[in-house]
Amino acid sequence: MWARDLAEPYPYVTTDEDAAHAVRLLALHRLPALLVVDTDAAPYALVPCAQLVGRLVSDVRDHDEPAGIAGRNVADWLPPGSPSPPTVEENDDLTRVADLIARTRSPLVAVVERDGDQRWLAGVVTAARLLERLAGGGA
């Protein structure tokens, strides 16, 4: 089985979207982390919600309101040094996916499609979906 076989849609934002929209997306979908792609839809950053809560608290402390995100785009609002998401190619096997999730302690791995030098997000494999599959409960 390949990464593409377990890849599923996952809500994401682009680097140039409004940061307030990103926060609303996280809250609405109760996501474990914010997935950010660049303007070409290539994986850019994956930031755990706990880190973003800290960022919001800092914004409130510095500005006396959560409006520290108002008018800012996602790329400008992300915490400094936000890591790129762990990424696999769509034809990588599940052993590679499992190793990457375990090694990076990430809730998900981005699955990318590639055409030459161009690459874009095809979906994600979440740790929960992978556990389901490894335990024999998923297709």
Side-chain angles (χ1 to χ4, degrees):
M1 180 169 279
W2 310 111
R4 72 175 159 266
D5 299 325
L6 284 186
E8 54 193 359
Y10 185 91
Y12 62 86
V13 294
T14 62
T15 53
D16 59 352
E17 285 187 75
D18 184 66
H21 168 71
V23 171
R24 286 190 300 273
L25 181 78
L26 284 167
L28 177 67
H29 294 283
R30 298 181 179 178
L31 301 173
L34 179 66
L35 178 60
V36 183
V37 299
D38 65 19
T39 55
D40 294 324
Y44 178 83
L46 181 68
V47 186
C49 279
Q51 193 173 359
L52 295 174
V53 167
R55 186 80 172 165
L56 281 172
V57 168
S58 175
D59 285 347
V60 169
R61 198 177 351 204
D62 294 345
H63 301 97
D64 293 327
E65 57 183 51
I69 61 174
R72 294 175 73 184
N73 68 29
V74 170
D76 292 338
W77 180 69
L78 289 177
S82 294
S84 298
T87 303
V88 296
E89 302 282 331
E90 62 181 340
N91 58 350
D92 282 337
D93 65 22
L94 294 189
T95 303
R96 168 93 172 109
V97 174
D99 176 61
L100 202 50
I101 286 176
R103 194 166 27 89
T104 62
R105 298 181 180 176
S106 176
L108 62 87
V109 169
V111 179
V112 296
E113 290 183 45
R114 185 180 292 274
D115 184 12
D117 289 340
Q118 280 284 79
R119 50 182 222 141
W120 59 91
L121 183 69
V124 304
V125 176
T126 63
R129 177 78 169 115
L130 183 61
L131 282 173
E132 177 185 55
R133 174 64 183 160
L134 294 174

